[in-house]
């Protein structure tokens, strides 16, 4: 009699977890599957918790930064890191060439403003010199092994896609003295507009303004302003086509 009942229950598709209603929710099951397939997420969550607690105090519970284990933030006490959204450091991205973590360094009196959700991929190096200002807009991502070195001011708009191996500099680092005694301006601001796609291994130099909705072809050297809706390529880069648009 007992065996008949067991067989009947099995035939009806008995679920041993039926008593745990929370386990039957699809979102929770999906989250558990993700954690099971990638246990590193647990370590990242713990690491991000302590990083957030250190740099954001009582606002840590919002998880303003999600930091992959191996990624680092170095910040002077007199520097300011403002995240109006969420900053992701590390992770997996197109063009990943190593397992290196991302690195963000803010020297004294520098300011880094993250205006939304921003992703800095593995091996990305972002360095702000004393008094420098860096702004990155919402839904912008920078993939593996790219470098941003900010001595004065760099502004990157929203919805930008910056591929691996890209270098953005607003400084020459050294002074050039000409025959008439004049000297070069070591640093000039860089401004990158909204919806700009920068291909892999590009270099953006000081004083450059790139308009909205531009495409910078791979391996380009940009040392002059780029008008909006332009496709540029070459070393130095020049306008190949105007009036273009692009989509991810």
């Amino acid at each position: 009699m007992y065996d008949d009942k067991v067989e009947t229950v099995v035939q009806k598709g008995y679920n041993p977890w039926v008593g745990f209603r929370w386990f039957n929710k699809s979102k929770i099951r999906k989250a558990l599957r993700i954690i099971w397939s990638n246990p590193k997420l647990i370590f990242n969550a713990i690491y991000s918790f302590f990083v957030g607690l250190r740099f954001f105090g009582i606002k840590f519970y919002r998880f303003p930064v999600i930091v992959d284990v191996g990624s680092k933030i170095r910040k002077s006490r007199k520097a300011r890191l403002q995240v109006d959204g969420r900053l992701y450091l590390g992770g997996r991205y197109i063009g990943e060439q190593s397992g290196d973590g991302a690195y963000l360094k803010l020297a004294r009196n520098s300011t880094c403003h993250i205006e939304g959700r921003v992703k800095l991929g593995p091996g990305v190096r972002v360095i702000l010199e004393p008094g420098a200002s860096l702004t990155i807009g919402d839904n912008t991502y920078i993939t593996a092994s790219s470098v941003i070195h900010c001595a004065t001011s760099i502004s990157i708009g929203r919805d930008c896609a910056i591929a691996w191996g890209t270098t953005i500099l607003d400084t020459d680092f050294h002074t050039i003295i000409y025959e008439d005694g004049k000297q070069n301006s070591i640093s000039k601001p860089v401004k990158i507009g909204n919806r700009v796609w920068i291909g892999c291994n590009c270099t953006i130099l000081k004083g450059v303004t790139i308009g909205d909705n531009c495409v910078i072809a791979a391996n380009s050297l940009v040392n002059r302003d780029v008008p909006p809706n332009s496709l540029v390529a070459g070393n130095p880069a020049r306008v190949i086509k105007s009036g273009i648009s692009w989509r991810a």
Side-chain angles (χ1 to χ4, degrees), residues 72-174:
K72 297 179 181 179
I73 298 176
R74 292 287 182 265
K75 174 180 168 294
S76 169
R77 291 183 180 180
K78 295 184 178 181
R80 183 185 181 192
L81 175 58
Q82 180 179 346
V83 180
D84 297 330
R86 184 162 292 156
L87 174 62
Y88 297 84
L89 295 176
R92 297 178 180 177
Y93 295 89
I94 297 173
E96 180 177 357
Q97 300 172 7
S98 68
D100 293 340
Y103 180 67
L104 173 60
K105 179 181 178 182
L106 289 81
R108 66 185 183 277
N109 299 322
S110 63
T111 301
C112 180
H113 188 189
I114 305 299
E115 300 178 334
R117 297 168 68 90
V118 172
K119 299 179 181 180
L120 305 180
V124 171
R125 297 289 185 266
V126 178
I127 300 172
L128 279 72
E129 293 187 10
S133 174
L134 171 66
T135 302
I136 304 178
D138 183 35
N139 199 36
T140 287
Y141 64 86
I142 303 171
T143 58
S145 303
S146 294
V147 175
I148 297 176
H149 194 110
C150 181
T152 302
S153 175
I154 295 177
S155 173
I156 302 174
R158 63 181 183 275
D159 300 315
C160 292
I162 301 177
W164 64 92
T166 293
T167 300
I168 302 174
L169 306 171
D170 68 348
T171 179
D172 290 332
F173 296 102
H174 304 286

Side-chain angles (χ1 to χ4, degrees), residues 32-39:
L32 291 174
R33 284 197 298 269
I34 294 174
I35 293 174
W36 180 263
S37 62
N38 188 8

